[in-house]
Amino acid sequence: MEPLAPRRAGSEQEEGFRVPPRRVADLGMLPHLPQSHNGLFLSWTGQENLSSWIPENIKKKECLYFVESSKLSDAGKVVCECGYTREQHVEEATKPHIFQGKEWDPKKHVQEMPTDAFGDIVFTGLGQKVGKYVRVSQDTPSSVIYHLMTQHWGLDVPNLLISVTGGAKNFNMKLRLKSIFRRGLVKVAQTTGAWIITGGSHTGVMKQVGEAVRDFSLSSSYKEGEVITIGVATWGTIHNREGLVHPMGGFPAEYVLDEEGQGNLTCLDSNHSHFILVDDGTHGQYGVEIPLRTKLEKFISEQTKERGGVAIKIPIVCVVLEGGPGTLHTIYNAITNGTPCVIVEGSGRVADVIAQVASLPVSEITICLIQQKLSLFFQEMFETFTESRIVEWTKKIQDIVRKRQLLTIFREGKDGQQDVDVAILQALLKASRSQDHFGHENWDHQLKLAVAWNRVDIARSEIFTDQWQWKPSDLHPTMTAALISNKPEFVKLFLENGVRLKEFVTWDTLLYLGQLCWSPACSPCALGFLAAGSGTSHLRLAGRVFRQPWVLMPVGLGGTWAVCCPQVQGVSLRSLYKRSSGHVTFTMDPVRDLLIWAIVQNRRELAGIIWAQSQDCIAAALACSKILKELSKEEEDTDSSEEMLALADEFEHRAIGVFTECYRKDEERAQKLLIRVSEAWGKTTCLQLALEAKDMKFVSHGGIQAFLTKVWWGQLCVDNGLWRVILCMLAFPLLFTGLVSFREKRLQALGGPARARAFFNAPVVIFHLNILSYFAFLCLLAYVLMVDFQPAPSWCECLIYLWLFSLVCEETRQLFYDPDDCGLRKMASLYFSDFWNKLDVAAILLFIVGLTCRLIPSTLYPGRIILSLAFIMFCLRLMHIFTVSKTLGPKIIIVKRMMKDVFFFLFLLAVWVVSFGVAKQAILIHNESRVDWIFRGVVYHSYLTIFGQIPAYIDGVNFNMDQCSPNGTDPYKPKCPESDAAGQAPAFPEWLTDTCVCLLYTFQQVQEHTDQIWKFQRHDLIEEYHGRPPAPPPFILLSHLQLLVKRVVLKIPAKRHKQLKNKLEKNEEAALLSWEMYLKENYLQNWQCQLQQQPEQRIQDISSKVDAMVELLDMDRVKRSSSVEQRLASLEEQVAQTTRALQWIVTTLKDSGFGSEADVPTLAPQKATDEPDAELGSRRQAEEAGDGYHVNARHLLYPNSPVTRFPVPNEKVPWKVEFAIYDPPFYTAERKDTALVDPVGDLEGLPPLSRISFNTLDGPRDRRSFHGAYAVRAGLPLNPMGRTGLCGRGSLSCFGPNHALHPVVTRWRRNQDGTICRKSIKKMLEVLVVKRPLPELWALPGVSWKLKQILRRESWPAVEDLLQQGVEVYKGYVDDPRNTDNAWIETVAISVHFQDHNDVELKRLNSYLHARDPGVSIRWQVVDRRIPLYSPLSRTSRPLLQRPAALFGAHY
């Protein structure tokens, strides 16, 4: 933020954007602050009260001593030096004190006290949006504030920190630029999960940011999340801050935004979400918050955020709008500390000054040019700029522009820039390339940033380019991070760039992903399925069990499904991949395991992407459908359950789509896919998966129904008429006449047993034989119950018992039939899951109970009643038999076949009528022999009962014994029914009528079922009769006897017929799956085309094209206007130069001479208006190479000291150039080793220095320079490279040259197999570098920089021998930040190269390096001209590495 009042010069070092790294306060020393095992804070347990924690850990500042100031307040009251009135001080401050009357000192007169302003803040009259605020002391540690924000305020750790700075006063921006800035800033914050930090006030750039957040919140949905906007403001400058004071916390505190009455103060911006109000005990002083904001931003940027195994330091970027001198200082500090800055051109003042000169070479950024720009953009305050201030601005702007990799200029419509968010992210990526990353590490770091920001557009345009060829294995760690963070677009991008899931998914990867189920990130539904256990877990599907590294989850039908893995010891993701680099994939289908993980995590898009990579895609889609449907049953949240069911339906549609493509291409191969045994999915088939998942749409597909019809007819042709089959069943010899045809020609030619076996083994024949048998059983049972129910069983009744025994044997066979080795429990579960099986068991048990009662004479009549009820249940079993027919099934086509439906409706109705009539007749009438009265009782009376006409002998109210014949001898009267004990009323159970009515209602419900349900249920009947013995009951006992011999005696296991489950050979299966994958790709392409053809999508595409066209037109207009402006500026410059040339000619002619050639002004070449970026970059490099002045030696902040250099622009560096206002400070650091250094000396007393002999050998010290004799002025040597802005010796050892040695140790860069790496045919070198402790940058090791500290003392002599054998590659001046006007460093660079990686000396050096001081970091880094290596040799650093590369013919 631009402060409104000047700051003290002594605090300039800490008031910038970022300060030099310093040790952060020990977190362990903070009171009441919990620690975690990794040095960060443990999450707040919720037991601590915020009202007690904040006052204990966060303080405010109060003036405790009232010292009257000479100034008065705005209201004319007497105030203290702190700015507060007497009434605003505490009582102790107004009492007489020893310090009163003296000069006010904030260190003595201001003390810390527990803060009294914190909690929630609501802006009165501006909605109900609630923010957070806290008043903190300016000395509050950044770690405490960070803990407050992340733990107590509940803010997520950011992926990016955006510090917006600029003008603190209101300024005008173009409407289009304002719109672009607002949209881009909020977009980058919302998409990347960033924090925006501003000054927090309702003015200037802070107001612009607040309005941008407000516009976003009004136009976005709740799911898009809140943009975190943190305002760091000065407490003493806030208007109406009294309403924020609540000693126990304001929950909420009401704040009134009053711009009209604020005066010289400012109001808080209502659109910020959090406020940190910095207090130094003063009132009305601006800029107090800058040091704390700087430290806080630096602390946050040093934190590491780890997600998905990928850890990155939180990046920070500075965005600048407008601004004044304070903003320039902020930009300078940011650039100095390596923070990228984005300057918005067109916002005014400082931003426009920097933007105007950013494209120029540093040598062209002169004092005169900056003066012109200041007069243009600072018209109102230009007269206040002194010459020294303009020089300071020039020096700072030169240093800013010199680091172009950290500077990004956003120009509306220029350089292809359209969005601020893209410019911000591009600036961060560009800055990351200049840090301590190179090659793969650099690109990998950029990719991690893009994944953390969730900006796949940036990754496509900036990272996945032709500049770097990505290996699939290099993308595996970030692929894991994208999976864990649920970023499907990145997963798709990685798959497009060569990542193969079969290589990516290893044992370690699945274990790592599985741990998420134990974290809060796991969905509540998945957590509900967790079953902790030890040992190996299993996964069960379709009755099959296969081992997986997962914890089990129940999914119904007695099976289990896996959702999570056991916990393992925590290891870093990188170490996982290093350990498993040669790891063979451990499962038969790793794509399946990853798909299970995505489904269980309920990640829709990820599951779709992974499914598209699966091989067995139809089975995978059906399995996913089953899992999701089972998960939805356990999900408590209704919305989540509906989402799961919708996703299950989507996967079912995917399976239908792929199967449709396959069926259209080849029906036979498509049907093979249905019954192929899938090893990856528990040795089940697609058809079984669909049935278990109840995917009715899939099962009702025409291709599957055709397959079921084919199975239904067995080896018979499906076009045989049913009447032919029935004729052959009734008249067996017709089978050999060719009345029915077979699919196989050989059966047509053969005769005898082969044709008979094929005919009677067909499920359709078995079904109809069983139908005839079942009808015969029911007729016989009805006859016995109504006509022949004697006290002693007759032969007909015994035949029924035999028949029933055969039915019991068949049901037992079905129960124990286990061709897939699923186990008795699984088979019992599957058997009883069928309603009709339950009905069969209930009917049989009821019959057995009735039979037991019937055999006991005393319970003969109850036995007959129970047997009559059993008869009803046996009749109900016919409903299942009828499902094989389209017209008799649950789905009856009402519209197309109305007349047929009426007929079959009556037929089905007859089932209920007859069953009820038989039961009624058997219960009431004993042994009626008259056929006509049996028909009347069974059919006629039962039919009338449906319509409410209940016969008198049933009702019992109007019953009269005279209306019936006791023995049935009267042909005109019905036989008297069974009566009660009194003989006055018929003994008819009334509940039987109610049961009949309920069953009729059930029938009506069955009528309403759809065609899909009929097709789905049809499979069960077909499968049942496909495996049923061909003989009908009671002859089926012979088949059961044969099966008993096979299973029990011969031990022959049961096998499923290949028509429903077929295990293919490996080659055939591979070919079939490849064919399926090919058609899956066709389906996905067609699906994408269909989506694009939808009206909604087409409207959206047209809208986007129109928007793009409008953008292009606007950009074209801006580009043309900008091109005209550039041409006019160039023309004006040419005219001005021509005018000066003409003036010179006139002057020369007046003097009667032509002047010297050196005085002739040179015309500047015309600037190209549309210069390509590549040419511009090369021109800049060439011009920068010509800038031979030292740079590091002119840095304003001298290292490890509070001294600030006098600013020296490039043009004032040479001593021969006049610089009248040059007044550098004198600084010589005191050192303990006084015997090894020159005397301190100063400008007033130099006698100790007079004994020093410069430009010669001075005793043991060589004071000669490699650049020849240097000048000595006033007894002090002058730096041969020019002014540095500082006099004295600085922190160096002696005045004049300080000689050093820089070894350049190189070796060949090698692959894992030992071969030398090459680039552009040339071999690649590696150089030994060390990390400097203060700037934290990698640099060449220098002997003057205590190289001996890197190695052990005993290893140093061997290194000295190597240096003596080396080759000198450079000798001369070192551009070191410690250089001064009177002391500088010169060095000799020695190249030491190891040709062979088996070199004994190289191995010895590596052993020395491994035994180094653990506090020093070293590594071998590749040699390249783009190497991000800190080198104090400045302009000579490139030749320093280029010469060894040229010497050995290596790449550079």
Side-chain angles (χ1 to χ4, degrees):
M1 183 188 74
E2 166 73 9
L4 299 180
R7 294 168 298 198
R8 294 183 296 272
S11 62
E12 288 183 355
Q13 181 180 355
E14 297 181 0
E15 291 179 352
F17 182 79
R18 291 180 66 183
V19 296
R22 63 181 63 183
R23 183 178 301 276
V24 181
D26 186 5
L27 301 181
M29 299 300 294
L30 298 178
H32 311 288
L33 205 58
Q35 285 184 299
S36 63
H37 63 279
N38 57 359
L40 296 178
F41 306 106
L42 288 172
S43 61
W44 187 39
T45 61
Q47 298 177 355
E48 290 183 325
N49 192 317
L50 191 63
S51 299
S52 61
W53 185 91
I54 287 185
E56 292 176 0
N57 293 276
I58 298 179
K59 310 297 180 182
K60 68 173 183 177
K61 285 204 171 183
E62 287 277 1
C63 177
L64 299 181
Y65 305 98
F66 184 86
V67 178
E68 185 175 336
S69 173
S70 58
K71 299 179 182 180
L72 298 178
S73 66
D74 296 338
K77 295 183 179 181
V78 177
V79 296
C80 176
E81 289 287 348
C82 66
Y84 288 101
T85 63
R86 186 182 300 272
E87 293 77 11
Q88 293 173 325
H89 282 69
V90 295
E91 184 178 355
E92 291 78 6
T94 58
K95 295 180 180 180
H97 197 275
I98 185 174
F99 291 105
Q100 291 190 16
K102 295 185 178 181
E103 182 180 357
W104 189 78
D105 186 359
K107 295 181 179 179
K108 297 179 180 179
H109 294 174
V110 177
Q111 293 185 8
E112 287 188 343
M113 304 177 67
T115 186
D116 58 357
F118 61 91
D120 300 336
I121 182 172
V122 175
F123 289 82
T124 304
L126 297 175
Q128 297 299 320
K129 180 180 179 182
V130 180
K132 303 286 186 181
Y133 77 99
V134 64
R135 175 186 180 183
V136 302
S137 168
Q138 65 175 358
D139 300 326
T140 304
S142 299
S143 55
V144 176
I145 301 177
Y146 183 73
H147 176 75
L148 171 68
M149 291 190 294
T150 57
Q151 304 301 322
H152 295 280
W153 284 355
L155 296 181
D156 293 332
V157 178
N159 294 315
L160 171 63
L161 195 64
I162 304 174
S163 179
V164 183
T165 187
K169 295 181 179 180
N170 291 326
F171 57 92
N172 296 323
M173 289 177 62
K174 295 179 182 179
L175 291 179
R176 176 177 174 81
L177 180 61
K178 182 187 296 185
S179 175
I180 293 175
F181 168 75
R182 290 182 178 182
R183 182 178 66 248
L185 180 66
V186 174
K187 181 179 179 181
V188 70
Q190 196 270 331
T191 57
T192 63
W195 288 359
I196 301 178
I197 297 183
T198 73
S201 60
H202 193 61
T203 57
V205 65
M206 295 79 72
K207 184 177 181 180
Q208 296 286 347
V209 174
E211 291 177 350
V213 174
R214 178 200 62 193
D215 296 343
F216 168 78
S217 60
L218 292 176
S219 61
S220 63
S221 63
Y222 175 76
K223 292 184 178 180
E224 292 186 51
E226 180 187 8
V227 175
I228 304 301
T229 314
I230 302 172
V232 183
T234 301
W235 170 263
T237 62
I238 299 173
H239 181 55
N240 288 335
R241 60 182 179 272
E242 295 81 10
L244 302 178
V245 177
H246 294 277
M248 298 305 296
F251 299 101
E254 295 186 358
Y255 181 81
V256 179
L257 198 156
D258 180 20
E259 290 186 272
E260 296 181 357
Q262 67 183 8
N264 294 326
L265 303 179
T266 60
C267 294
L268 296 177
D269 185 72
S270 60
N271 297 307
H272 284 62
S273 59
H274 301 78
F275 295 94
I276 299 173
L277 309 177
V278 185
D279 184 18
D280 69 339
T282 64
H283 168 79
Q285 295 189 15
Y286 286 88
V288 172
E289 84 285 354
I290 292 180
L292 184 138
R293 175 179 171 180
T294 302
K295 296 175 184 178
L296 178 62
E297 291 172 346
K298 183 180 186 303
F299 179 84
I300 295 175
S301 66
E302 290 174 345
Q303 303 306 305
T304 300
K305 181 173 183 179
E306 181 174 356
R307 182 147 189 201
V310 174
I312 60 170
K313 283 191 175 182
I314 301 173
I316 181 173
V317 63
C318 177
V319 180
V320 182
L321 273 80
E322 212 244 3
T327 301
L328 178 66
H329 185 70
T330 299
I331 300 171
Y332 179 79
N333 283 341
I335 295 291
T336 301
N337 290 280
T339 299
C341 292
V342 177
I343 312 294
V344 179
E345 186 182 32
S347 57
R349 300 208 297 172
V350 164
D352 283 357
V353 171
I354 297 177
Q356 290 283 328
V357 302
S359 59
L360 299 176
V362 177
S363 58
E364 294 185 13
I365 303 176
T366 61
I367 298 176
C368 180
L369 177 63
I370 297 301
Q371 188 174 5
Q372 292 177 4
K373 299 299 180 182
L374 292 178
S375 64
L376 177 63
F377 296 105
F378 287 83
Q379 296 179 0
E380 297 180 357
M381 59 178 299
F382 177 70
E383 296 180 357
T384 62
F385 281 92
T386 61
E387 182 180 0
S388 60
R389 197 171 187 186
I390 295 176
V391 169
E392 179 185 358
W393 276 58
T394 304
K395 173 64 173 68
K396 288 183 176 180
I397 293 176
Q398 285 180 350
D399 290 347
I400 291 171
V401 174
R402 183 174 284 111
K403 295 187 178 182
R404 302 181 191 275
Q405 72 277 9
L406 299 177
L407 186 64
T408 299
I409 309 298
F410 176 78
R411 297 181 172 92
E412 178 193 356
K414 301 177 184 178
D415 303 329
Q417 295 179 345
Q418 297 182 12
D419 297 314
V420 173
D421 62 310
V422 176
I424 292 174
L425 300 180
Q426 287 177 341
L428 287 163
L429 293 180
K430 184 170 68 172
S432 69
R433 296 167 190 154
S434 64
Q435 296 174 356
D436 58 339
H437 303 285
F438 181 75
H440 166 65
E441 292 184 3
N442 176 35
W443 291 102
D444 187 56
H445 178 71
Q446 295 183 53
L447 184 58
K448 290 177 182 178
L449 292 177
V451 172
W453 300 334
N454 196 22
R455 292 299 296 265
V456 71
D457 56 331
I458 297 295
R460 290 183 185 275
S461 61
E462 300 292 328
I463 300 175
F464 287 92
T465 61
D466 295 335
Q467 299 181 16
W468 183 259
Q469 297 297 324
W470 288 92
K471 297 179 180 178
S473 58
D474 296 338
L475 298 174
H476 286 178
T478 45
M479 176 74 167
T480 304
L483 287 170
I484 294 174
S485 305
N486 193 20
K487 296 173 180 175
E489 293 298 327
F490 272 100
V491 174
K492 188 184 298 182
L493 178 64
F494 297 151
L495 292 174
E496 292 173 359
N497 285 272
V499 174
R500 298 186 60 197
L501 292 181
K502 289 189 176 181
E503 298 175 356
F504 164 71
V505 182
T506 62
W507 174 272
D508 294 331
T509 310
L510 278 182
L511 288 180
Y512 190 82
L513 292 174
Q515 292 180 53
L516 292 181
C517 290
W518 297 92
S519 68
C522 186
S523 64
C525 175
L527 287 174
F529 284 102
L530 290 181
S534 60
T536 305
S537 300
H538 303 78
L539 186 149
R540 184 185 295 273
L541 183 65
R544 300 299 303 173
V545 178
F546 55 103
R547 287 176 169 80
Q548 291 298 323
W550 307 94
V551 171
L552 298 181
M553 178 194 80
V555 295
L557 300 184
T560 52
W561 193 267
V563 297
C564 193
C565 70
Q567 289 185 343
V568 295
Q569 296 296 327
V571 290
S572 68
L573 187 61
R574 178 69 65 179
S575 64
L576 281 179
Y577 284 99
K578 286 183 178 179
R579 182 160 52 88
S580 61
S581 59
H583 205 291
V584 181
T585 53
F586 67 95
T587 61
M588 66 185 74
D589 192 353
V591 182
R592 172 208 61 207
D593 304 324
L594 198 60
L595 181 60
I596 294 173
W597 176 84
I599 288 295
V600 171
Q601 292 289 320
N602 198 20
R603 298 182 175 181
R604 182 170 191 157
E605 296 183 24
L606 276 180
I609 294 172
I610 298 171
W611 174 82
Q613 302 294 318
S614 61
Q615 189 176 21
D616 196 356
C617 53
I618 297 179
L622 296 172
C624 291
S625 176
K626 173 178 171 56
I627 300 172
L628 289 165
K629 288 181 179 179
E630 296 296 337
L631 287 173
S632 66
K633 296 177 183 178
E634 303 294 333
E635 180 60 60
E636 297 179 356
D637 185 17
T638 304
D639 294 337
S640 299
S641 178
E642 291 178 354
E643 290 178 1
M644 291 178 180
L645 291 176
L647 184 55
D649 188 61
E650 180 180 332
F651 273 105
E652 183 181 358
H653 279 288
R654 289 173 184 259
I656 294 172
V658 177
F659 182 76
T660 301
E661 291 288 334
C662 296
Y663 191 73
R664 289 174 182 172
K665 197 75 174 178
D666 191 333
E667 296 182 8
E668 184 178 353
R669 299 182 77 178
Q671 291 176 355
K672 278 187 178 181
L673 286 173
L674 289 177
I675 60 174
R676 180 192 65 87
V677 174
S678 176
E679 296 289 342
W681 294 101
K683 295 184 179 179
T684 184
T685 64
C686 294
L687 191 56
Q688 283 180 291
L689 282 172
L691 293 169
E692 286 198 12
K694 292 185 169 65
D695 291 333
M696 297 185 182
K697 295 178 183 178
F698 182 82
V699 177
S700 62
H701 188 277
I704 299 176
Q705 291 300 308
F707 167 73
L708 293 178
T709 302
K710 181 180 176 182
V711 174
W712 177 246
W713 285 89
Q715 298 185 16
L716 298 175
C717 291
V718 295
D719 56 354
N720 284 318
L722 186 59
W723 62 273
R724 297 184 181 183
V725 176
I726 296 177
L727 281 179
C728 291
M729 289 167 49
L730 299 177
F732 179 74
L734 293 177
L735 181 63
F736 305 101
T737 62
L739 184 63
V740 294
S741 58
F742 296 86
R743 286 204 306 268
E744 297 184 11
K745 294 182 179 180
R746 65 178 186 85
L747 291 176
Q748 288 290 125
L750 294 176
R755 298 188 66 179
R757 188 182 301 109
F759 178 80
F760 285 103
N761 281 327
V764 62
V765 177
I766 298 174
F767 170 76
H768 286 93
L769 287 175
N770 279 270
I771 288 293
L772 295 176
S773 172
Y774 199 74
F775 271 110
F777 167 73
L778 292 178
C779 292
L780 185 59
L781 179 58
Y783 171 78
V784 170
L785 289 175
M786 294 187 299
V787 179
D788 193 20
F789 196 80
Q790 305 297 332
S794 62
W795 68 270
C796 292
E797 193 172 349
C798 294
L799 180 59
I800 289 176
Y801 300 156
L802 178 64
W803 215 313
L804 181 68
F805 178 72
S806 66
L807 294 178
V808 171
C809 293
E810 175 57 24
E811 295 299 326
T812 306
R813 183 198 66 81
Q814 294 181 19
L815 176 63
F816 291 95
Y817 179 62
D818 186 15
D820 298 323
D821 296 330
C822 297
L824 180 60
R825 181 179 298 178
K826 176 67 176 178
M827 293 309 301
S829 174
L830 291 174
Y831 177 83
F832 286 104
S833 64
D834 188 355
F835 168 77
W836 301 108
N837 289 335
K838 296 177 182 177
L839 186 64
D840 288 339
V841 173
I844 292 172
L845 293 177
L846 192 61
F847 189 93
I848 294 174
V849 172
L851 176 61
T852 304
C853 295
R854 184 253 181 281
L855 296 178
I856 301 174
S858 60
T859 57
L860 178 64
Y861 181 70
R864 189 174 66 173
I865 295 177
I866 296 175
L867 290 175
S868 300
L869 296 177
F871 176 81
I872 295 178
M873 299 187 71
F874 281 125
C875 288
L876 292 180
R877 190 62 172 83
L878 290 174
M879 295 298 299
H880 177 53
I881 297 174
F882 292 155
T883 57
V884 76
S885 172
K886 267 190 176 182
T887 52
L888 294 180
K891 172 67 174 71
I892 298 179
I893 305 175
I894 298 175
V895 178
K896 292 183 179 180
R897 303 182 181 179
M898 183 67 72
M899 298 307 296
K900 280 188 177 181
D901 284 344
V902 172
F903 171 76
F904 286 109
F905 177 81
L906 294 177
F907 181 80
L908 292 175
L909 186 62
V911 174
W912 302 100
V913 171
V914 172
S915 62
F916 174 76
V918 169
K920 182 265 301 180
Q921 185 75 6
I923 294 173
L924 291 176
I925 309 300
H926 182 66
N927 293 342
E928 175 66 79
S929 60
R930 295 173 295 179
V931 177
D932 54 340
W933 283 102
I934 291 176
F935 177 79
R936 288 168 62 93
V938 172
V939 179
Y940 180 67
H941 290 164
S942 300
Y943 179 75
L944 293 178
T945 303
I946 297 176
F947 299 98
Q949 297 184 11
I950 302 176
Y953 60 85
I954 293 180
D955 188 8
V957 177
N958 300 320
F959 176 73
N960 189 353
M961 290 295 293
D962 297 336
Q963 297 177 358
C964 61
S965 174
N967 299 321
T969 56
D970 189 349
Y972 300 103
K973 294 182 180 181
K975 190 175 182 179
C976 291
E978 298 285 344
S979 59
D980 54 11
Q984 300 298 324
F988 181 78
E990 297 178 356
W991 50 264
L992 185 62
T993 306
D994 299 333
T995 305
C996 181
V997 174
C998 294
L999 293 175
L1000 287 173
Y1001 173 76
T1002 303
F1003 167 74
Q1004 293 174 1
Q1005 296 298 312
V1006 173
Q1007 286 285 81
E1008 297 175 0
H1009 284 190
T1010 62
D1011 183 63
Q1012 290 180 358
I1013 298 177
W1014 169 75
K1015 292 180 179 179
F1016 183 79
Q1017 293 178 347
R1018 179 170 175 251
H1019 169 271
D1020 295 336
L1021 187 66
I1022 294 175
E1023 185 179 21
E1024 177 184 349
Y1025 283 95
H1026 182 270
R1028 197 181 184 111
F1035 307 104
I1036 198 173
L1037 290 174
L1038 299 176
S1039 299
H1040 292 159
L1041 182 61
Q1042 180 188 7
L1043 289 175
L1044 182 65
V1045 173
K1046 281 185 176 181
R1047 303 291 179 265
V1048 178
V1049 180
L1050 302 179
K1051 305 293 184 181
I1052 300 177
K1055 292 183 180 180
R1056 185 180 292 273
H1057 200 280
K1058 289 187 177 181
Q1059 280 189 290
L1060 290 178
K1061 193 170 186 179
N1062 188 19
K1063 183 174 178 60
L1064 303 178
E1065 297 293 334
K1066 289 186 177 181
N1067 295 335
E1068 184 181 3
E1069 183 179 23
L1072 188 64
L1073 292 178
S1074 299
W1075 177 71
E1076 181 190 20
M1077 287 190 66
Y1078 168 74
L1079 294 177
K1080 176 197 65 179
E1081 297 297 331
N1082 290 346
Y1083 160 73
L1084 292 175
Q1085 292 177 2
N1086 296 334
W1087 181 59
Q1088 290 293 337
C1089 293
Q1090 291 176 4
L1091 289 179
Q1092 295 176 0
Q1093 295 300 322
Q1094 292 181 354
E1096 297 84 356
Q1097 184 65 33
R1098 298 186 69 176
I1099 292 174
Q1100 185 177 356
D1101 293 341
I1102 293 174
S1103 176
S1104 61
K1105 290 179 180 178
V1106 171
D1107 292 341
M1109 185 64 67
V1110 172
E1111 290 283 343
L1112 290 175
L1113 291 176
D1114 291 343
M1115 292 297 107
D1116 184 64
R1117 176 181 57 80
V1118 174
K1119 287 182 179 179
R1120 283 183 304 188
S1121 62
S1122 132
S1123 175
V1124 172
E1125 291 176 0
Q1126 291 180 2
R1127 291 174 182 269
L1128 289 176
S1130 177
L1131 181 60
E1132 289 176 357
E1133 186 176 353
Q1134 292 293 325
V1135 170
Q1137 292 181 357
T1138 304
T1139 303
R1140 290 195 298 268
L1142 291 174
Q1143 186 179 1
W1144 173 81
I1145 293 175
V1146 172
T1147 303
T1148 304
L1149 290 176
K1150 284 182 178 181
D1151 297 338
S1152 300
F1154 298 95
S1156 62
E1157 186 176 355
D1159 295 332
V1160 179
T1162 58
L1163 297 178
Q1166 185 176 0
K1167 296 181 180 179
T1169 57
D1170 297 322
E1171 185 177 19
D1173 291 341
E1175 296 180 3
L1176 181 61
S1178 61
R1179 181 170 67 89
R1180 286 175 180 169
Q1181 290 180 1
E1183 291 170 342
E1184 294 295 338
D1187 182 13
Y1189 304 124
H1190 48 200
V1191 176
N1192 297 328
R1194 290 185 288 132
H1195 196 282
L1196 292 181
L1197 298 178
Y1198 194 82
N1200 299 324
S1201 75
V1203 179
T1204 301
R1205 298 179 188 264
F1206 190 90
V1208 181
N1210 269 23
E1211 58 191 296
K1212 299 297 184 181
V1213 172
W1215 293 107
K1216 61 182 180 180
V1217 177
E1218 184 179 358
F1219 196 8
I1221 64 172
Y1222 184 60
D1223 185 20
F1226 189 93
Y1227 173 69
T1228 297
E1230 296 184 3
R1231 296 177 54 172
K1232 296 180 180 180
D1233 50 348
T1234 55
L1236 301 176
V1237 299
D1238 286 347
V1240 175
D1242 53 44
L1243 291 178
E1244 297 179 357
L1246 298 177
L1249 301 180
S1250 60
R1251 296 190 297 269
I1252 299 177
S1253 300
F1254 296 105
N1255 288 311
T1256 184
L1257 283 173
D1258 186 18
R1261 192 181 300 276
D1262 188 358
R1263 299 187 184 272
R1264 294 173 297 180
S1265 172
F1266 295 134
H1267 299 276
Y1270 48 85
V1272 180
R1273 182 185 298 174
L1276 291 174
L1278 296 183
N1279 192 317
M1281 293 301 168
R1283 299 182 178 94
T1284 64
L1286 184 67
C1287 292
R1289 177 167 54 81
S1291 59
L1292 297 178
S1293 300
C1294 60
F1295 289 92
N1298 291 257
H1299 294 286
L1301 175 67
H1302 281 83
V1304 184
V1305 184
T1306 58
R1307 69 179 185 183
W1308 295 117
R1309 182 179 179 87
R1310 299 181 182 273
N1311 297 313
Q1312 294 182 353
D1313 57 359
T1315 59
I1316 299 177
C1317 298
R1318 294 179 180 269
K1319 188 171 184 179
S1320 301
I1321 306 177
K1322 293 186 177 181
K1323 301 178 181 179
M1324 299 184 69
L1325 281 175
E1326 286 183 331
V1327 63
L1328 182 67
V1329 293
V1330 299
K1331 177 170 282 191
R1332 297 171 64 89
L1334 184 59
E1336 296 184 356
L1337 295 173
W1338 293 96
L1340 294 173
V1343 175
S1344 62
W1345 184 62
K1346 301 181 180 180
L1347 178 62
K1348 295 181 181 180
Q1349 288 184 354
I1350 302 176
L1351 306 172
R1352 299 288 185 182
R1353 179 178 301 176
E1354 60 272 11
S1355 60
W1356 178 244
V1359 176
E1360 283 186 320
D1361 294 339
L1362 291 175
L1363 293 177
Q1364 293 177 359
Q1365 301 172 8
V1367 179
E1368 180 182 306
V1369 293
Y1370 174 77
K1371 181 169 66 175
Y1373 180 80
V1374 176
D1375 183 12
D1376 193 279
R1378 296 169 292 175
N1379 291 353
T1380 67
D1381 288 354
N1382 313 120
W1384 61 93
I1385 297 176
E1386 296 184 6
T1387 189
V1388 175
I1390 303 297
S1391 173
V1392 178
H1393 179 67
F1394 296 98
Q1395 187 72 26
D1396 190 358
H1397 67 288
N1398 291 322
D1399 193 300
V1400 177
E1401 296 296 335
L1402 177 60
K1403 292 183 177 179
R1404 185 181 301 171
L1405 177 63
N1406 286 329
S1407 64
Y1408 295 158
L1409 295 177
H1410 286 297
R1412 70 186 185 280
D1413 184 356
V1416 180
S1417 300
I1418 65 168
R1419 74 175 181 184
W1420 291 93
Q1421 183 162 286
V1422 68
V1423 175
D1424 194 281
R1425 65 177 179 274
R1426 298 167 297 174
I1427 187 171
L1429 184 66
Y1430 171 81
S1431 176
L1433 303 180
S1434 187
R1435 304 301 174 188
T1436 59
S1437 61
R1438 290 182 179 176
L1440 183 67
L1441 296 176
Q1442 188 176 11
R1443 289 173 187 173
L1447 183 64
F1448 304 111
H1451 165 76
Y1452 179 71

